Amino acid sequence: MLPAENSADSLHCVSSSLIELQLQQEYTSHMFIDIQEQFLKKADCIVKVISKEGEMYSLLVDQQKLISDKHVVDTYRVSFDSVVREYHCECNLFQSKAILCCYMFSTFAYFEVNEVPSCYISSRWSKNVR
């Protein structure tokens, strides 16, 4: 699938990801820029499952950064319930700004999730709200 653009005011997707396409179609251009920045940062992340109880996973997501020519790793804990598709990241970006973080995007990729659950699509930033 090629990156898509649906209207003149939409921004291009930079990948072939169905998630990125979903968010590009859902969000205003201004918000999509912020979300796309987090989406792209998932390339710097490594996901490690640290425990599993039933269908609840606890993960550590390491994000590699280069700050002033120094390699730094930020680590955040993400929990994921594979039955109800609920996620929580300790960075709390979604809770504070309604933006999915790179750690959650990394978790989606790890578990081969191709669509953001509707509970993580904020109607506040949607261009499809009527």
Side-chain angles (χ1 to χ4, degrees), residues 19 22-23 26-27 84-87 94 98 100 104 108 113-126 129:
I19 285 180
Q22 175 192 6
L23 298 174
E26 183 67 40
Y27 284 110
V84 294
R85 294 247 194 241
E86 288 182 353
Y87 302 80
F94 184 76
L100 291 167
M104 288 179 67
F108 292 162
V113 173
N114 290 317
E115 184 176 329
V116 175
S118 61
C119 61
Y120 298 103
I121 303 291
S122 175
S123 60
R124 180 168 129 192
W125 307 117
S126 178
V129 173

Side-chain angles (χ1 to χ4, degrees):
M1 178 183 296
L2 294 174
E5 182 175 40
N6 287 343
S7 67
D9 65 340
S10 294
L11 298 171
H12 288 282
C13 291
V14 295
S15 74
S16 298
S17 166
L18 295 175
I19 285 180
E20 186 186 16
L21 178 61
Q22 175 192 6
L23 298 174
Q24 182 254 4
Q25 292 173 345
E26 183 67 40
Y27 284 110
T28 63
S29 293
H30 178 73
M31 183 49 67
F32 181 65
I33 290 169
D34 293 343
I35 291 170
Q36 192 175 48
E37 180 181 329
Q38 289 297 315
F39 181 81
L40 292 172
K41 287 180 182 179
K42 78 178 169 75
D44 297 328
C45 294
I46 298 169
V47 176
K48 296 178 255 179
V49 175
I50 55 172
S51 69
K52 180 182 186 244
E53 290 184 33
E55 299 305 316
M56 179 63 82
Y57 292 84
S58 290
L59 308 108
L60 290 179
V61 182
D62 294 336
Q63 181 189 20
Q64 302 175 31
K65 297 179 179 181
L66 193 59
I67 300 174
S68 300
D69 294 328
K70 185 174 181 177
H71 181 256
V72 177
V73 176
D74 285 339
T75 302
Y76 286 91
R77 186 178 299 267
V78 176
S79 59
F80 167 58
D81 185 321
S82 63
V83 173
V84 294
R85 294 247 194 241
E86 288 182 353
Y87 302 80
H88 181 268
C89 180
E90 70 180 352
C91 79
N92 288 317
L93 184 63
F94 184 76
Q95 288 77 6
S96 65
K97 296 186 178 178
I99 296 174
L100 291 167
C101 63
C102 62
Y103 313 108
M104 288 179 67
F105 283 127
S106 299
T107 302
F108 292 162
Y110 183 86
F111 287 102
E112 299 179 6
V113 173
N114 290 317
E115 184 176 329
V116 175
S118 61
C119 61
Y120 298 103
I121 303 291
S122 175
S123 60
R124 180 168 129 192
W125 307 117
S126 178
K127 62 184 173 187
N128 298 317
V129 173
R130 295 203 168 112

